[in-house]
């Protein structure tokens, strides 16, 4: 009997609960659903209400960005699950509460005010409106029209004239010359802060207009001028099935616009994104309904050759060459010293100075992105011959080209001043790059004409000149030293090798990289004996060696699956050997003979980090101070690879055994640049064989093969947590749960017991605040979502500043042990186990 009563009671309370929640649901639906179609004097819009477009593609309302609580008025897509904001009214002046109202004031302006009537944003009409109505069009354009006396479509104000960070189809980017209105994109400061960031993108009004991306006050990327079909620097953006692009330049307007060919079925946006890779990009996204996500169609800058002015004046940037910068024919480096040490900013100068006395002509270069158009002059009706005459007549004219490439080409552009920011596109594909005619002295013309006949001879002559020049410059020390070795070497055969070696070297025009011959290396390593073997890396075995002079070296014998040819390989090694940082292992040279390809490094006597941190005894040799110093050093080395070096290297296999320690226990990252040497595609294809070590791999890399600087950041985070805990992430186990090291660290963190993570041998020497900061940074680095992970520059900052307020880490990627051991099997099991992950998440956050 009592039981039954109790049962009824609980039924009653259940009923009560249900009613309540239905009511609550109803309430929330009710507030959400106050959607209107227009704003008028009598119908303002307050926080919580929305204004929708006719077919409801777009909606305007109040929102908060990311973790921020500030309130903004903005426009976003109605049906896209991740709120994608395309326009913000009060981006630089947020409301701090939800008292905001968007209404029409006495003059007819649309204004955003708070409850004290303080104005946060206004449409600032130039003339008053009598009967203003504000509507959101299906294109995403917020418009204000005067319904009395106004003509339909005659907007007194429209949001398309004041872009935020996004260009939607049908929006103009550029100038209304009559009113002086300049429509340009400005990035958000961060995903949490829509205020104007440091990147902006707009049309520069030169003689021959082009779009330029600015980073603060510095030019960051140029689109190249519009050549009638497309931007000269973006051949892939010629009209295609999805988009049509156009550029208008007349006395009234200069603007760029794009449209979708099948309107309605596809969504697309062009966004200037400061929070993307490499410090900011202009990204073109299309919506993929199947995967329910935005798909990146294209982004610029694409590579280092897109970096504004990387190669200086009169020099051509070519990603297929290394080093990428080459002086144009007829030009030579302004400073050979700087040029050879990879500082190309000084650019090149005429080999024979121009006298402008009629002894001049033009050399044609094909497949180029046309140079900076700041000082240009355009005539759209001249033909190419008239153009040449025109340029020849004016001594300050340095080059000319066709202004329009359509229909065989027409028009004329002249360049005055230095030619900067040229890049090479593959000449083979017909639609890429343009012809540029550059003024040179007649003697250079003759050289160039002879060149095509006697090309071989000229190169030999140039090489000999270079060889002797560099020898004279005092770089001969190495050769002398090597000669000495060979003189004393027992094998007579070697002298032949030596000659061959030098011949080979002279074929490369960079002579600074020592190429060791095989015999030297064989002697140094005791004929690659097992006793000299230091270990086996992802790319092949590593041997210790000692050269005759006594210098100790480490020799990495590469397995033979590099896709590159020998010349490319050498060039790559030259580039990489020029990366110098105290936290990178120094590459001394290479050896290529027959089927053997080897890299020679400086030898690190203290072996690698994994020797210490995972070994109970040796672990005591690394006290906290040393550990913190090592963490810091690795971060700095990685930052150099990601940002400060000119090559933007993603390591892709950062782990304890790839961190070597010198005699001062200073960390040196090794195996960097291997990814470059082996070529990107191959690595992706052979992920589990060549590059990447489970336990250190980010989820997006392991599952989708996507790598970016953020995958290195993930590996770095794992490494930090391993250094603090003295445990390997892979194979970590605790009887009480199934989490791996990342999961364990996160659990302790959430329980406020993070200090329990620290390895006992270090407990006495540690500084608790530093340990906590390391764990905190480590957890930020291993977050599941790559966009949440910090960049290496913020990692270095966070590690170094005691008072910085760090964001709270979110769920790490791959934190269940089950998950990481399964990671090597197929992707379907991956999905399955990721749902296991979700369960773990709920359990954890429930505590
Ligand atoms: C900015 O770029 C990042 C990384 O590519 C991306 O995740 C993010 O969604 C982009 N932001 C916008 C507003 O599209
Ligand atoms: C050459 O062109 C520049 C730029 O248009 C102009 O200022 C200068 O007067 C011209 N010089 C001659 C000699 O025509």
């Amino acid at each position: 009997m009592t039981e039954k009563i109790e049962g009824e009671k609980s039924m009653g309370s259940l009923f009560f609960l249900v009613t309540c929640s239905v009511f609550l649901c109803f309430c929330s639906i009710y507030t959400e659903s106050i959607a209107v179609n227009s704003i008028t004097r009598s119908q303002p819009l307050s926080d919580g209400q929305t204004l929708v477009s006719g077919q409801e593609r777009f909606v305007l309302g109040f929102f908060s960005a990311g973790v921020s609580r500030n309130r903004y008025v903005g426009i976003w897509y109605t049906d896209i699950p991740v709120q994608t904001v395309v326009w913000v009214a009060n981006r630089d002046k947020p409301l701090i509460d939800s008292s905001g109202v968007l209404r029409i004031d006495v003059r007819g302006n649309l204004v955003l005010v708070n409850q004290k009537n303080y104005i946060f944003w206004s449409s600032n009409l130039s003339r008053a409106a009598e009967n203003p109505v504000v509507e959101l069009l299906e294109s995403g354009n917020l418009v204000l029209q005067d319904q009395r006396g106004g003509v339909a479509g005659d907007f007194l104000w429209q949001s398309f004239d004041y872009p935020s960070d996004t260009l939607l189809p049908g929006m103009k980017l550029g100038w209304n010359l009559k009113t002086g209105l300049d429509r340009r994109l400005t990035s958000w400061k961060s995903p949490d802060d829509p205020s104007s960031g440091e990147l902006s993108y707009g049309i520069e009004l030169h003689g021959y207009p082009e779009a330029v991306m600015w980073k603060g006050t510095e030019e960051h990327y140029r689109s190249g001028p519009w050549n009638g079909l497309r931007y000269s620097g973006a051949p892939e953006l010629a009209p295609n099935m999805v988009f049509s692009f156009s550029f208008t330049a007349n006395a009234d307007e200069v603007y760029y616009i794009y449209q979708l060919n099948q309107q309605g079925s596809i969504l697309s946006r062009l966004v200037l994104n400061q929070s993307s890779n490499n410090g900011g990009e202009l990204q073109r996204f299309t919506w993929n309904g199947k995967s329910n996500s935005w798909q990146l169609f294209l982004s610029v800058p694409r590579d280092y050759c897109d970096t504004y002015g990387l190669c200086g004046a009169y020099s051509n940037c070519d990603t297929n060459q290394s080093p990428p910068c080459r002086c144009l024919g007829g030009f030579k480096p302004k400073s050979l010293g700087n040029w050879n040490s990879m500082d190309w900013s000084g650019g090149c100068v005429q080999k024979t100075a121009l006298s402008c006395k009629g002894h001049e002509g033009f050399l044609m270069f094909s497949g180029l992105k046309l140079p900076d158009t700041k000082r240009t002059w355009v005539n759209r009706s001249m033909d190419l011959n008239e153009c040449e005459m025109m340029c020849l007549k004016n001594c300050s004219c340095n080059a000319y080209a066709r202004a329009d490439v359509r229909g065989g080409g027409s028009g004329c552009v002249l360049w005055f001043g230095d030619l900067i920011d040229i890049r090479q596109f593959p000449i083979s594909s017909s639609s890429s790059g343009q012809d540029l005619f550059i003024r040179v002295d007649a003697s250079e013309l003759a050289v160039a004409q002879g060149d095509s006949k006697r090309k071989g001879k000229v190169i030999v002559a140039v090489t000999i000149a270079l060889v002797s020049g560099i020898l004279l410059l005092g770089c001969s020390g190495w050769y002398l030293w090597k000669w000495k070795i060979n003189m004393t070497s027992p094998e007579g055969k070697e002298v032949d090798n030596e000659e061959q070696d030098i011949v080979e070297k002279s074929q490369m025009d960079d002579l600074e990289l020592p190429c060791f011959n095989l015999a030297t290396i064989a002697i140094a390593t005791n004929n690659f004996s097992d006793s000299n073997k230091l270990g086996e890396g992802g790319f092949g075995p590593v041997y210790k060696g000692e050269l005759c002079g006594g210098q100790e070296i480490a020799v990495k014998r590469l397995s033979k699956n590099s896709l590159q040819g020998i010349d490319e390989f050498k060039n790559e090694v030259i580039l990489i050997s020029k990366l110098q940082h105290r936290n990178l292992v120094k590459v001394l040279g290479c050896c290529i003979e027959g089927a053997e390809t080897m890299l020679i490094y400086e030898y690190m006597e203290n072996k690698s980090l994994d020797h210490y941190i995972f070994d109970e005894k040796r672990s005591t040799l690394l006290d906290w101070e040393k550990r913190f110093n090592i963490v810091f050093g690795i971060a700095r080395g990685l930052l150099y690879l990601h940002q400060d070096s000119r090559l933007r290297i993603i390591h892709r296999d950062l782990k304890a055994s790839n961190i070597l320690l010198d005699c001062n226990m200073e960390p040196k990252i090794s195996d960097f640049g291997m990814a470059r040497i082996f070529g990107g595609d191959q690595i992706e294809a052979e992920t589990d064989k060549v590059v990447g070590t489970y336990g250190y791999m980010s989820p997006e890399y392991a599952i989708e093969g996507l790598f970016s600087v953020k995958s290195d950041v993930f590996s770095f985070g794992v490494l930090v947590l391993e250094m603090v805990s003295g445990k390997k992430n892979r194979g970590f186990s605790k009887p009480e749960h199934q989490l791996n090291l990342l999961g364990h660290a996160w659990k302790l963190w959430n329980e406020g017991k993070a200090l329990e993570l620290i390895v006992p041998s270090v407990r006495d020497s540690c500084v608790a605040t530093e340990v906590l900061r390391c764990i905190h940074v480590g957890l930020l680095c291993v977050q599941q979502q790559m966009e949440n992970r910090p960049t290496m520059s913020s990692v270095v900052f966070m590690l170094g500043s005691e008072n910085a307020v760090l964001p709270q880490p979110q769920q790490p990627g791959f934190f269940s042990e089950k998950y990481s051991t399964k990671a090597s099997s197929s992707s379907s099991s991956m999905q399955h186990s990721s749902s296991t992950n979700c369960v773990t998440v709920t359990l954890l956050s429930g505590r």
Side-chain angles (χ1 to χ4, degrees), residues 513-517 569-570 573 588-592 598-600:
L513 180 86
C515 263
F516 293 78
N517 62 38
F569 175 83
K570 279 188 199 163
V573 175
L588 299 176
C590 64
C591 167
I592 307 161
M598 283 173 270
L599 283 175
I600 322 300

Side-chain angles (χ1 to χ4, degrees), residues 14 24 48 141 174 177 267 283 297 305 308 357 377 398 419-420 459 473 519 639 644 667 701 709 712 738 775 797 836:
L14 184 65
L24 279 175
N141 194 4
L177 297 173
L267 300 180
Q283 304 169 316
F297 189 81
C305 280
Y308 180 78
K357 286 181 188 148
W377 174 92
N398 283 325
L419 306 178
I420 296 174
I459 287 180
L473 278 170
L639 172 64
D644 298 343
Y701 186 16
V709 286
D712 275 357
Q738 290 218 317
I775 298 176
F797 170 76
T836 329

Side-chain angles (χ1 to χ4, degrees), residues 27 34 69 97-98 161-162 181 220 231 304 425 481 672 679 695 701 718 837-838:
C27 280
I34 304 181
R69 296 227 170 143
D97 54 27
S98 54
D161 279 343
Y162 304 91
L181 176 74
H220 186 52
Y231 285 127
Y304 46 81
F425 292 111
W481 170 69
F672 60 89
Y701 186 16
V718 175
N837 246 359
C838 285

Side-chain angles (χ1 to χ4, degrees), residues 274-292:
Q274 190 172 322
S275 319
S276 63
N277 297 337
N278 311 323
E281 287 173 333
L282 181 69
Q283 304 169 316
R284 187 179 288 273
F285 290 101
T286 51
W287 178 254
N288 183 334
K290 265 192 209 138
S291 69
N292 230 11

Side-chain angles (χ1 to χ4, degrees), residues 84-85 165 269 271 273-277 281 283 285 296 786-787:
T84 309
V85 176
D165 64 340
R269 64 194 170 102
V271 56
N273 189 342
Q274 190 172 322
S275 319
S276 63
N277 297 337
E281 287 173 333
Q283 304 169 316
F285 290 101
L296 190 59
M786 62 186 240
E787 54 274 13

